[in-house]
Amino acid sequence: MDHPEHPHANELIEVWTEMPGEGIGRGLQLGGYAEDEDWAEDPSVAAGREAARAVARGELPAPDTDIRPEDWVCLAQWVHGLDGLEMALYSWSISRQDLAARRFDRVYATMTWNP
């Protein structure tokens, strides 16, 4: 299947899904809805709250507009097959406003792990 938005998508999919391990990993998910091991809330909304705290501490550039945690969406999530970290989920989230403006300097990465 060809992906018109990215001519090398098939090669990227193959690389991410061939991670070492015992077949646990599903690879890299671009967009969509992120998972959380507790299913307590949308990980992107939680990342939005964490990003707001990072802005307050001066660790992340301030947004150009008012952005609420509910405005954050999943940019990517990596469900891997790394031995010893089987239940870890790596997520990259971004606000809808920053995504529309192509402002990727405010992407916020999180990792959750339920050993």
Side-chain angles (χ1 to χ4, degrees), residues 11-102:
E11 291 89 357
L12 291 170
I13 291 168
E14 286 179 25
V15 169
W16 281 102
T17 56
E18 292 179 2
M19 291 298 301
E22 298 179 11
I24 297 164
R26 291 193 324 252
L28 182 68
Q29 169 189 314
L30 300 177
Y33 295 94
E35 285 184 33
D36 179 33
E37 78 277 354
D38 294 325
W39 295 94
E41 72 174 328
D42 183 340
S44 298
V45 174
R49 273 198 302 282
E50 290 182 33
R53 289 191 288 269
V55 168
R57 291 188 304 265
E59 299 170 356
L60 193 67
D64 295 332
T65 62
D66 289 331
I67 296 177
R68 303 170 302 131
E70 296 81 17
D71 293 330
W72 285 69
V73 295
C74 176
L75 186 61
Q77 186 170 55
W78 182 32
V79 181
H80 58 79
L82 299 177
D83 291 333
L85 289 173
E86 288 85 359
M87 296 302 293
L89 301 170
Y90 298 87
S91 300
W92 292 265
S93 300
I94 189 169
S95 72
R96 288 179 175 89
Q97 297 89 332
D98 288 339
L99 183 58
R102 297 181 180 170

Side-chain angles (χ1 to χ4, degrees), residues 75 94 98-108:
L75 186 61
I94 189 169
D98 288 339
L99 183 58
R102 297 181 180 170
R103 185 173 180 184
F104 295 98
D105 60 324
R106 290 187 27 82
V107 168
Y108 198 80

